[in-house]
Amino acid sequence: MKKILSLVLISALGGVLTLGGYKLFVEKENKVVVETTQTTPNFLPTSNINTLYNTTEAPDFVSAAENTVNAVVHVKNVSISKGQMTFEDLFFGRSSQRPQLGTGSGVIINADGYIITNNHVIKNAQKLSVTLNNNKTYEAELIGADAKTDIALLKIEADEDLPYVTFGDSDNAKIGEWVLAVGNPFNLTSTVTAGIISAKARDLSGKSIQSFIQTDAAVNPGNSGGALVNTNGELIGINTAITSQTGSYVGYSFAVPSNIARKVIEDIMEYGNVQNGILGIRGGSLNSKASEELGINDTEGVYIAEIVEDSGADQAGLEEGDIIKKINNIKISKFSDLTGQISSKRPNDVVQITYSRDGELNTIPVTLLKNNTFTIPLVGEVKNAKPTDLKKLKAKNGVKIIKLDDNHSDYWSRNGVTEGSIITSVNDVEVNSVDDIQKALKNQLEYHSLRLELINTKGEKDRFNFSR
């Protein structure tokens, strides 16, 4: 009996010692293992701030989209198309002219029904109609258009105040900023796409006459004239173009900056046409190759190769060889930057030009003037003549040739015509200004039936006829 009790006590004591050892050594070690498995995995960023998962920082497009879709309209343009004459047309004596329907988008810019769109959306329109997001349709009146900027202004008469988009400042738009494109691609109404601003002051012409905002928001045929808005719902551009070999979106789209579009429609409303102010320079963008050819170190900015006589730049004291670096404290890296800024200004506006001369930066005010120059095909650039110009050559009227056409300068020099000659008549119309020349050449294609009378710098009168 005693042996049995001894065995039980020994077994119990062994159990206690075993359990105590487990609690003391084994269980503590397991706790350490568990804790280490809950540490941050080594493939995550070491920073304590993980912006990738911070949903409060994500852009919210809902409010901007809701406000914009109600102010973007569907524009329909009925024009007359001159199709190829078919056998049936000839047999039945029918005309080859047929109505053709074109569609695009537009943006309501005030409660009274003024709508901004692209010029190419309404070009050659015989009839215009506008459909709102609530499916109401109105006939639209064309108030005015500008082919150069591809902007047009329409007006509809609604029986109620209309929703509209307010203008933002496109100069303040930043590369990388989120934007929405709203329009009617492929006749699909009220379509919203998102992207970022990819570039600014983009020129598609190769002539530095354009200054588009480039985005990667999807834009397709039918989006033309629609809105490009920021996340606040402010209009910063009018969607205008895409570059594509297929005709559909491939990753890039382009919009007229709102500052340019706004200036154009305000001019149309106030003056009936666009008031273009000019700086009065000729030149080009700088890069490594151009700088090497010119023998200068700068690779950014606009190099002034020529100053237009009597222009704002001439009167302010800018000189050939100066490099424009800023305008109104906005950096100028290439000519399209300068084009974009000047396009948003009017005659008599004063701009602050920061330029480099002999390595030193200077800033001067320059008053933009009305463009008093015009390019005549085959001839070259002419400007309004001053009384002293006319008196010098004993001319009663005329415009002054300030730059001959590069492709035909040899012809003119052989015939005794040089820069400074006075053109007195164009197509048998006496001219006193460049406006007279534009009227005389209206509806003329290139140099079809171009007739000129002029007085050369020797005071000799001559007449030239061109036709083809």
Side-chain angles (χ1 to χ4, degrees), residues 443-461:
N443 300 325
Q444 293 289 326
L445 297 177
E446 300 245 332
Y447 53 87
H448 287 194
S449 304
L450 177 61
R451 299 179 299 280
L452 301 175
E453 291 182 6
L454 59 79
I455 302 175
N456 63 27
T457 52
K458 295 180 181 179
E460 300 168 339
K461 295 182 179 180

Side-chain angles (χ1 to χ4, degrees), residues 151-279:
I151 292 296
L153 182 66
L154 309 179
K155 178 73 165 64
I156 61 174
E157 298 296 337
D159 52 5
E160 58 186 347
D161 286 348
L162 299 175
Y164 61 91
V165 178
T166 58
F167 280 95
D169 187 347
S170 53
D171 285 343
N172 289 335
K174 306 297 183 184
I175 295 174
E177 178 181 340
W178 282 100
V179 289
L180 296 178
V182 186
N184 304 279
F186 305 117
N187 283 326
L188 300 173
T189 59
S190 304
T191 297
V192 181
T193 56
I196 63 168
I197 296 176
S198 307
K200 294 180 67 177
R202 188 68 85 194
D203 176 39
L204 304 181
S205 69
K207 301 177 181 178
S208 297
I209 59 174
Q210 299 171 328
S211 187
F212 289 125
I213 295 174
Q214 178 182 323
T215 79
D216 65 354
V219 168
N220 280 292
N223 271 112
S224 290
L228 185 73
V229 299
N230 58 23
T231 53
N232 295 325
E234 297 170 328
L235 185 67
I236 61 168
I238 299 298
N239 296 315
T240 298
I242 59 175
T243 55
S244 170
Q245 294 179 338
T246 65
S248 296
Y249 175 75
V250 293
Y252 303 104
S253 57
F254 303 89
V256 177
S258 61
N259 287 2
I260 295 176
R262 182 175 188 173
K263 181 259 180 186
V264 168
I265 62 170
E266 286 177 349
D267 282 354
I268 290 173
M269 293 173 71
E270 185 172 353
Y271 304 103
N273 54 32
V274 179
Q275 305 290 300
N276 293 312
I278 65 163
L279 184 60

Side-chain angles (χ1 to χ4, degrees), residues 52-93:
L52 292 175
Y53 300 99
N54 188 353
T55 58
T56 61
E57 296 294 328
D60 182 6
F61 300 131
V62 176
S63 178
E66 286 178 346
N67 291 335
T68 307
V69 292
N70 293 311
V72 173
V73 301
H74 200 183
V75 179
K76 295 182 180 179
N77 166 9
V78 177
S79 60
I80 302 299
S81 173
K82 292 183 178 180
Q84 184 176 357
M85 180 74 75
T86 64
F87 178 78
E88 289 80 5
D89 291 333
L90 187 63
F91 183 80
F92 291 105

Side-chain angles (χ1 to χ4, degrees), residues 12 26 28 49 83 134 138 219 232 244 251-252 264 295 307 339 371 373 394 397-398 420 446 453:
V26 178
K28 278 189 177 181
I49 301 174
N134 60 9
Y138 300 89
V219 168
N232 295 325
S244 170
Y252 303 104
V264 168
I307 298 289
T339 300
N371 186 17
T373 65
K394 298 180 180 179
N397 65 282
E446 300 245 332
E453 291 182 6

Side-chain angles (χ1 to χ4, degrees), residues 2 88 92 112 250 281 431:
K2 290 181 178 180
E88 289 80 5
F92 291 105
D112 295 331
V250 293
I281 68 162
V431 294

Side-chain angles (χ1 to χ4, degrees), residues 272-462:
N273 54 32
V274 179
Q275 305 290 300
N276 293 312
I278 65 163
L279 184 60
I281 68 162
R282 300 187 187 93
S285 303
L286 288 176
N287 52 39
S288 295
K289 182 180 179 181
S291 298
E292 184 178 351
E293 292 175 351
L294 292 168
I296 58 178
N297 295 322
D298 283 291
T299 56
E300 284 188 314
V302 171
Y303 181 83
I304 300 178
E306 294 181 55
I307 298 289
V308 177
E309 183 183 1
D310 299 325
S311 67
D314 187 21
Q315 295 174 9
L318 287 174
E319 299 176 359
E320 296 178 8
D322 290 344
I323 301 170
I324 297 177
K325 291 291 189 178
K326 293 182 180 179
I327 179 169
N328 290 341
N329 211 34
I330 295 174
K331 184 179 178 181
I332 302 298
S333 296
K334 52 189 181 296
F335 208 97
S336 55
D337 290 327
L338 184 64
T339 300
Q341 291 300 312
I342 298 298
S343 296
S344 64
K345 304 294 186 292
R346 297 183 178 87
N348 299 319
D349 282 352
V350 178
V351 295
Q352 299 294 324
I353 299 292
T354 300
Y355 64 96
S356 173
R357 179 182 297 172
D358 299 326
E360 294 186 4
L361 288 177
N362 302 280
T363 300
I364 58 172
V366 179
T367 301
L368 304 181
L369 301 181
K370 184 178 180 180
N371 186 17
N372 65 351
T373 65
F374 182 75
T375 300
I376 303 177
L378 286 179
V379 180
E381 194 170 358
V382 298
K383 67 179 287 290
N384 293 341
K386 295 185 292 187
T388 52
D389 297 326
L390 299 176
K391 184 178 180 180
K392 182 179 178 180
L393 298 181
K394 298 180 180 179
K396 295 180 180 179
N397 65 282
V399 297
K400 180 181 177 180
I401 299 175
I402 58 173
K403 185 174 176 59
L404 288 168
D405 186 291
D406 291 336
N407 297 323
H408 301 89
S409 57
D410 289 343
Y411 169 82
W412 292 113
S413 61
R414 289 197 305 269
N415 286 275
V417 178
T418 59
E419 293 172 1
S421 300
I422 300 294
I423 296 176
T424 58
S425 173
V426 175
N427 288 345
D428 303 321
V429 176
E430 185 179 283
V431 294
N432 293 281
S433 67
V434 295
D435 291 338
D436 292 338
I437 290 181
Q438 292 182 62
K439 292 176 183 176
L441 292 177
K442 192 174 183 180
N443 300 325
Q444 293 289 326
L445 297 177
E446 300 245 332
Y447 53 87
H448 287 194
S449 304
L450 177 61
R451 299 179 299 280
L452 301 175
E453 291 182 6
L454 59 79
I455 302 175
N456 63 27
T457 52
K458 295 180 181 179
E460 300 168 339
K461 295 182 179 180
D462 213 336

